[in-house]
Amino acid sequence: MPLDKDTYDQLIETVSRFVTERLRPLEGQVGDKDEIPQDVIDEMKELGLFGLTIPEEYGGIGLTMAEEIGVAIAMGHTSPAMRSSFGTNIGIGSQGLVMAGTDEQKQKWLPRIASGELITSFALTEPDAGSDAGSVKTRATLDEAKGVYRLNGSKRYITNADKADLFTVMARTGGEGAHGVSSFLVPRDLPGLSVGAHEKKMGQQGAHVCDVNFDDVEVPVENRLGAEGEGFKVAMRVLDRGRLHISGVCVGAAERLIEDMVGYASERQQFGKPISSFQMIQAQIADSKAECMAARALVEQTARKRDAGESITLDCAATKLIASEMVGRVADRAVQVYGGAGYIADYGIERFYRDVRLFRIYEGTSEIQRSIIARETLKTGG
Ligand code: COS
């Protein structure tokens, strides 16, 4: 059920105020220290951000996709890592359970995910299985006598793994290819599970990615999500909506960069007048604004389609392609409008430029989005 208009407006206003007053002043610090302060995370928990998409009956707010997109756009107005701290709990780390879990599994985990007591992670990617997600090698071998699957293998670039208490892990129970993959809820404290040190990245400091290793980890049979062999499809459905959510964040980031560009161009004087009076600067602002508006319209349309129960695989791929490429161009123009200052860390524009680069890679590269769009379009005849 959608929220009533007043409640929704209030939610967006609260998130926007939190972004402006609490998070934006911390962007430089988070960028330098590669860590989001714990008191900020605690405040996010109090605001209910960890449970935005968890159904109400399991302790969350149960936002519709269109409402979730409103929050994603509002959160996009600050460094993307801020959103990532609760992003896995409301997205890829919980939605497999929401979509494919039994009531018992949901009762057991979702309330604590919604409150932020448990942090979740989505473990699909492996050293040799990135875009070709159906080729994962991590194996889950059933030991019927003991009532467990024994997990062996490694996952790579797993967001929030260092903080995670619960992983959704895609592992092979059957033969080659996507149909041999199942998914499992794997608590971090199981013996044999280890998490590597977080990687040093180009951007999005404060959001950590790590390897996760499984060495004979015994996962109870009742922790399997859905039937054997259904894990890949669960992962793909989770990624469809994840791609849409990320597209909302891209739109928010572009809106922020456009505001920054306009502010700077209006203040900065050259040749005796603000640089905003020069048509070449105006063109960069105009192109950014128009492209951002188009992406926002597409994101909102796709969210409404998902809420209406329509098939959205093609739409999500197209939305992610358009929104992530758009914000890349906007960030590039922002550096150009700022000129020398755009290259200097203190202004924060170069940090955004690095941060938004990831949007074209994670949750499916632009190349993968294009191949999904082509495949779906060829299937339906255009
Ligand atoms: N929703 C539901 N089911 C889906 C689906 C979706 N979005 N996409 C695929 N499936 C189903 C297919 O219908 C097929 O089932 P049937 O054979 O029963 O019809 C099954 O899953 C296998 O699909 P497919 O044959 O398309 O698998 P491929 O190995 O060709 O892989 C791509 C497809 C490339 C799209 C997939 O591997 C992918 O998205 N890769 C990118 C992974 C990614 O985004 N990684 C980012 C890191 S995770 S944060």
Side-chain angles (χ1 to χ4, degrees):
M1 272 283 285
L3 299 173
D4 66 69
K5 189 180 174 314
D6 284 352
T7 313
Y8 174 71
D9 289 348
Q10 211 177 344
L11 171 70
I12 298 298
E13 198 197 311
T14 305
V15 173
S16 297
R17 198 171 337 112
F18 183 64
V19 164
T20 308
E21 292 173 8
R22 190 71 175 106
L23 302 182
R24 284 176 63 154
L26 291 172
E27 288 171 357
Q29 178 194 317
V30 168
D32 290 344
K33 296 207 170 137
D34 199 2
E35 195 69 59
I36 298 181
Q38 187 56 44
D39 55 340
V40 172
I41 303 221
D42 292 341
E43 285 170 48
M44 290 174 174
K45 290 180 188 174
E46 278 162 33
L47 284 171
L49 297 180
F50 283 77
L52 290 170
T53 62
I54 309 296
E56 276 179 286
E57 69 249 55
Y58 300 108
I61 302 179
L63 295 186
T64 64
M65 197 72 220
E67 292 166 343
E68 178 187 339
I69 284 301
V71 176
I73 292 175
M75 283 302 303
H77 282 243
T78 187
S79 300
M82 308 282 193
R83 183 213 57 95
S84 277
S85 49
F86 62 88
T88 48
N89 271 44
I90 65 167
I92 54 177
S94 69
Q95 294 303 303
L97 174 54
V98 170
M99 288 174 190
T102 61
D103 187 50
E104 210 181 339
Q105 289 172 330
K106 291 179 186 178
Q107 294 283 4
K108 183 169 178 186
W109 305 106
L110 285 178
R112 287 186 290 155
I113 295 174
S115 68
E117 182 193 333
L118 295 182
I119 302 298
T120 59
S121 260
F122 179 76
L124 173 64
T125 301
E126 297 184 355
D128 296 318
S131 289
D132 185 6
S135 70
V136 292
K137 291 197 182 82
T138 295
R139 183 152 277 285
T141 313
L142 180 61
D143 180 339
E144 265 180 278
K146 234 176 157 184
V148 297
Y149 284 92
R150 210 161 277 118
L151 247 64
N152 282 289
S154 292
K155 297 291 176 178
R156 179 143 293 174
Y157 308 144
I158 305 306
T159 303
N160 285 345
D162 53 347
K163 313 232 165 34
D165 304 287
L166 183 67
F167 296 89
T168 303
V169 179
M170 269 50 69
R172 189 161 302 286
T173 47
E176 298 275 291
H179 293 281
V181 178
S182 304
S183 65
F184 299 90
L185 294 166
V186 183
R188 186 209 188 90
D189 54 11
L190 291 181
L193 189 157
S194 60
V195 176
H198 69 83
E199 305 282 354
K200 212 170 160 198
K201 313 196 299 317
M202 175 197 247
Q204 300 214 5
Q205 275 69 33
H208 295 171
V209 299
C210 317
D211 280 2
V212 182
N213 304 302
F214 305 95
D215 182 9
D216 268 337
V217 177
E218 293 185 353
V219 181
V221 169
E222 60 266 25
N223 283 25
R224 197 184 64 227
L225 263 184
E228 264 201 17
E230 290 293 313
F232 182 80
K233 286 187 193 176
V234 172
M236 289 300 113
R237 283 166 58 214
V238 167
L239 282 175
D240 277 347
R241 73 182 298 298
R243 289 166 183 161
L244 180 51
H245 178 100
I246 291 298
S247 305
V249 181
C250 292
V251 167
E255 290 179 353
R256 156 73 185 273
L257 286 163
I258 293 166
E259 281 166 25
D260 285 355
M261 258 193 266
V262 168
Y264 186 81
S266 308
E267 292 283 315
R268 172 79 175 159
Q269 303 264 337
Q270 286 295 279
F271 303 102
K273 43 190 177 180
I275 61 169
S276 60
S277 62
F278 296 111
Q279 288 184 343
M280 276 190 262
I281 298 293
Q282 290 176 2
Q284 309 212 48
I285 293 170
D287 286 348
S288 300
K289 182 73 179 173
E291 290 175 22
C292 180
M293 286 171 70
R296 185 171 180 141
L298 184 57
V299 171
E300 290 173 347
Q301 171 184 293
T302 304
R304 284 194 300 272
K305 272 189 161 180
R306 187 178 191 277
D307 285 335
E310 293 179 38
S311 155
I312 46 146
T313 298
L314 184 153
D315 300 72
C316 289
T319 305
K320 166 112 177 351
L321 175 68
I322 293 292
S324 62
E325 299 271 336
M326 176 279 296
V327 74
R329 289 191 296 276
V330 171
D332 187 64
R333 292 185 196 117
V335 172
Q336 199 66 19
V337 167
Y338 272 67
Y343 207 70
I344 302 296
D346 280 354
Y347 290 83
I349 296 295
E350 63 82 33
R351 190 184 56 247
F352 258 96
Y353 178 81
R354 289 183 283 108
D355 285 350
V356 304
R357 188 63 184 81
L358 185 59
F359 292 138
R360 283 190 266 161
I361 298 171
Y362 75 172
E363 298 202 20
T365 60
S366 289
E367 290 69 28
I368 286 295
Q369 309 312 332
R370 285 191 178 92
S371 71
I372 294 171
I373 297 163
R375 198 168 63 174
E376 295 293 315
T377 306
L378 289 165
K379 223 193 271 176
T380 57

